[in-house]
Amino acid sequence: VQLVESGGGLVQPGGSLRLSCAASGFDFSHYDMGWVRQAPGKEFEWVSSISYKDTFPTTYASSVQGRFTISRDNAKSTVYLQLNSLKFEDTAMYFCAKQTPGRNWLGATRGQGTQVTVSS
């Protein structure tokens, strides 16, 4: 399993970024995918997840609801996270995660992460 995140960077408050996660080594189209983040000195926090079933709704942490949008492209084995209206408190390392049997999102298999820094 390989998960490679990209798209992070430095952005001003109110700005936007689009994170991508290229997945390989498993049948991407049959796994739920998610994003978690870790701010400096803090615990991991689940951000969002998306089912492999089109009929299931995407879900978001209340802290990002209405600002972040998760999506996936099964043909490209890629999951995305659109970050809008960024706030200082969104500064964190963002990791994409693969649904992992027996584990919640915080303990799921994840990539190396991409840094998002919100600063003026």
Side-chain angles (χ1 to χ4, degrees), residues 32-107:
D32 294 353
M33 297 295 295
W35 288 89
V36 298
R37 67 184 182 184
Q38 187 177 32
K42 295 189 176 181
E43 300 288 326
F44 275 91
E45 174 189 20
W46 167 77
V47 175
S48 180
S49 56
I50 183 167
S51 173
Y52 69 92
K53 299 180 180 179
D54 291 342
T55 55
F56 281 36
T58 55
T59 53
Y60 300 92
S62 59
S63 57
V64 307
Q65 179 78 48
R67 300 187 298 119
F68 291 7
T69 303
I70 191 171
S71 61
R72 64 190 295 160
D73 184 336
N74 288 338
K76 296 182 178 179
S77 295
T78 300
V79 60
Y80 304 96
L81 187 68
Q82 178 69 40
L83 288 62
N84 295 331
S85 303
L86 281 160
K87 304 176 180 180
F88 292 119
E89 53 264 41
D90 294 318
T91 295
M93 185 73 80
Y94 284 72
F95 303 83
C96 77
K98 166 189 170 291
Q99 176 190 21
T100 306
R103 299 184 180 184
N104 64 21
W105 284 112
L106 300 184

Side-chain angles (χ1 to χ4, degrees), residues 1-15:
V1 173
Q2 189 170 22
L3 302 168
V4 180
E5 301 92 338
S6 62
L10 174 64
V11 63
Q12 293 185 338

